[in-house]
Amino acid sequence: MSRLVSKAIKAAASPAVTPCVLAGFLLLYVGIAFGSNEPLTALMAITRGNVALIALLALVPLNGAARLLRESGNFLKRHRALSGAEGIDPHGLFDDAVELPPESRFEGEGGRLQSLGYRVRSGAASLSASRGVTLFPARFLYLLGMVLLFCGILLSLTGRVTHRQVVLEGEALPVSRDLVQRIVLKEEPGLFLQRTLDIAVAGEGGGERHFGLYPPGTHRGHYLYPRYLGVAPLLRFSAPDLPGGFEQFAVLSIYPPGKEDTFQIPGSPYRFIFQMAPGEGPDPYATGKITLQFRLLKGEAQVFAGSAPLGGEAGEGGYRLALPEFRRAVVTDFVQDAGVPLIWSAGVLLLLSLLWFVPVRLLRPRQEILLVRRPGGVSACSRAEGGRRAHAGRFHDLLDQLQQGEGGMS
């Protein structure tokens, strides 16, 4: 039974598990891409509703956790062995291991290794030599980051709840009574984006908060992801068979210029098709100098068409459309997602891992040699996290010295 458990743990901690699982999802993504314009969205939807795929994806954080435990245990054992602790089997802890005869004498090799830049520690039955800085902290942070990343992805896939709402100037946020004071789009190129969006919200209890495109802001347990920009002009419409007229704010998702949206006049056969007219120079949404092009349909027949700037009007044949004022709008996803903190934490850990790995790997990689006298022989072990060729040469020189010493004794 213990052997079966040992094999199961070894399989769970295999470095091949994660690449195989991710390769499987990549193949599934490629297959979906042949029949869908949004393969990533479709893959997420399929995975979310499939218990087998969720279980398969769960193997990745489980594999990362198993590898993290195994590598942490190996690091601690190796550290104790290099410190001279007795009773530790070094096999499996180092890259190379050579068994030497019992008569091998290594006690005098410490000085030569020290002259090569190694820190030497001698014990009653062992000799260890090491140089450089270990990459284990980078490895630990990387594996922990991968565990958190895929745990976050799993939580997002299985527990994410999204409500798409319109955030409108002069109105309260959909999830609270905090007032949206203004929505501003600016031509300010940043590190990733060419424009910045600022949604200024006055808190119910005082103060002001600001939400932008990225990173997502949080409000009352929801993450705010702006999706589409739009305008909400006040429509004043009259027609020959609509003597009372019509007046209402209409939320139109018509940004960028050229994108169309429709608005049905309630209780009538009339339907407007709007689009924002493209213009020269600055972005019209940013400046507020917006001209709307429209077509008016009665049933399926077009009865009126034209354009009017926001603040203006147009009329023809008894039909009149006035746009005396407007408000900016943002179609926003209000998302409850327990996986987001884990994903952001994973990003931080992976960045810290990279910041440790690169300079240490380039400048001071860890190299270790251990000689331990055991019943029946001497174990000579070597391990290098960088500069393997030079380190292997020094290790083999050490073995040659020990073998020559054996020949002289015989």
Side-chain angles (χ1 to χ4, degrees):
M1 187 68 179
S2 59
R3 182 178 298 179
L4 181 63
V5 173
S6 176
K7 289 183 177 180
I9 294 175
K10 186 176 180 179
S14 171
V17 172
T18 294
C20 289
V21 172
L22 296 183
F25 275 94
L26 178 61
L27 291 175
L28 183 59
Y29 173 86
V30 172
I32 293 172
F34 285 105
S36 173
N37 293 327
E38 296 185 353
L40 181 59
T41 303
L43 176 61
M44 293 173 65
I46 292 172
T47 304
R48 184 180 292 112
N50 191 301
V51 176
L53 290 178
I54 289 291
L56 182 64
L57 188 60
L59 291 177
V60 177
L62 290 175
N63 175 245
R67 292 170 63 188
L68 182 63
L69 292 174
R70 187 185 68 178
E71 294 194 20
S72 297
N74 288 345
F75 171 78
L76 293 175
K77 287 181 181 179
R78 189 166 52 249
H79 177 73
R80 291 177 58 205
L82 291 169
S83 299
E86 298 180 358
I88 298 176
D89 184 1
H91 291 87
L93 303 179
F94 293 82
D95 299 332
D96 298 307
V98 177
E99 289 299 320
L100 301 174
E103 61 270 14
S104 300
R105 299 291 179 183
F106 54 79
E107 287 78 4
E109 298 298 326
R112 193 172 64 85
L113 290 173
Q114 198 165 16
S115 68
L116 295 174
Y118 288 85
R119 295 184 298 274
V120 176
R121 181 190 297 268
S122 298
S126 67
L127 175 72
S128 65
S130 62
R131 58 187 290 177
V133 180
T134 180
L135 291 174
F136 175 75
R139 188 70 179 160
F140 182 89
L141 292 173
Y142 168 76
L143 291 174
L144 182 58
M146 292 298 290
V147 171
L148 293 183
L149 175 63
F150 281 93
C151 284
I153 292 173
L154 279 171
L155 285 175
S156 293
L157 285 174
T158 56
R160 182 185 178 103
V161 178
T162 302
H163 304 282
R164 182 159 291 183
Q165 303 284 349
V166 175
V167 174
L168 189 63
E169 284 181 325
E171 300 288 340
L173 277 176
V175 295
S176 70
R177 291 188 291 179
D178 296 347
L179 183 66
V180 180
Q181 293 184 314
R182 60 189 176 277
I183 299 172
V184 179
L185 181 69
K186 294 181 180 180
E187 298 276 356
E188 292 182 353
L191 184 60
F192 300 107
L193 304 172
Q194 296 299 313
R195 297 178 176 88
T196 60
L197 179 69
D198 179 54
I199 303 174
V201 178
E204 184 181 3
E208 185 176 271
R209 294 193 61 192
H210 295 267
F211 302 93
L213 288 173
Y214 196 83
T218 57
H219 186 70
R220 303 203 175 201
H222 295 79
Y223 293 95
L224 275 63
Y225 293 90
R227 294 303 185 191
Y228 309 105
L229 298 180
V231 293
L234 178 62
L235 304 185
R236 288 179 181 168
F237 170 65
S238 61
D241 56 350
L242 200 64
F246 171 81
E247 180 174 325
Q248 182 179 311
F249 280 98
V251 178
L252 305 174
S253 180
I254 54 174
Y255 184 86
K259 181 181 178 182
E260 290 188 342
D261 199 4
T262 62
F263 183 79
Q264 179 76 41
I265 303 297
S268 80
Y270 292 106
R271 176 167 58 97
F272 278 98
I273 301 177
F274 289 98
Q275 68 176 0
M276 186 184 299
E280 300 289 337
D283 189 294
Y285 193 93
T287 61
K289 297 179 180 179
I290 300 172
T291 297
L292 296 185
Q293 297 173 337
F294 62 86
R295 291 180 291 140
L296 177 63
L297 305 181
K298 186 176 182 179
E300 297 300 323
Q302 180 174 306
V303 295
F304 179 33
S307 64
L310 294 179
E313 61 180 51
E316 180 183 292
Y319 298 98
R320 180 165 297 278
L321 175 66
L323 308 169
E325 61 178 285
F326 80 99
R327 300 173 182 176
R328 290 179 175 84
V330 181
V331 179
T332 304
D333 286 346
F334 290 81
V335 179
Q336 292 176 298
D337 190 344
V340 171
L342 295 180
I343 293 173
W344 276 96
S345 299
V348 173
L349 292 177
L350 293 175
L351 177 60
L352 292 175
S353 172
L354 184 65
L355 292 176
W356 183 284
F357 177 85
V358 172
V360 171
R361 179 65 175 78
L362 293 177
L363 302 176
R364 295 280 293 167
R366 181 74 167 177
Q367 300 170 349
E368 301 167 342
I369 293 175
L370 176 66
L371 300 170
V372 181
R373 188 174 301 281
R374 307 172 65 203
V378 173
S379 296
C381 306
S382 169
R383 180 176 178 273
E385 297 175 339
R388 285 183 170 84
R389 181 175 299 178
H391 177 72
R394 291 188 286 267
F395 179 60
H396 291 149
D397 287 343
L398 173 63
L399 296 179
D400 291 340
Q401 292 289 333
L402 294 177
Q403 289 174 356
Q404 290 174 12
E406 295 167 22
M409 291 179 62
S410 62

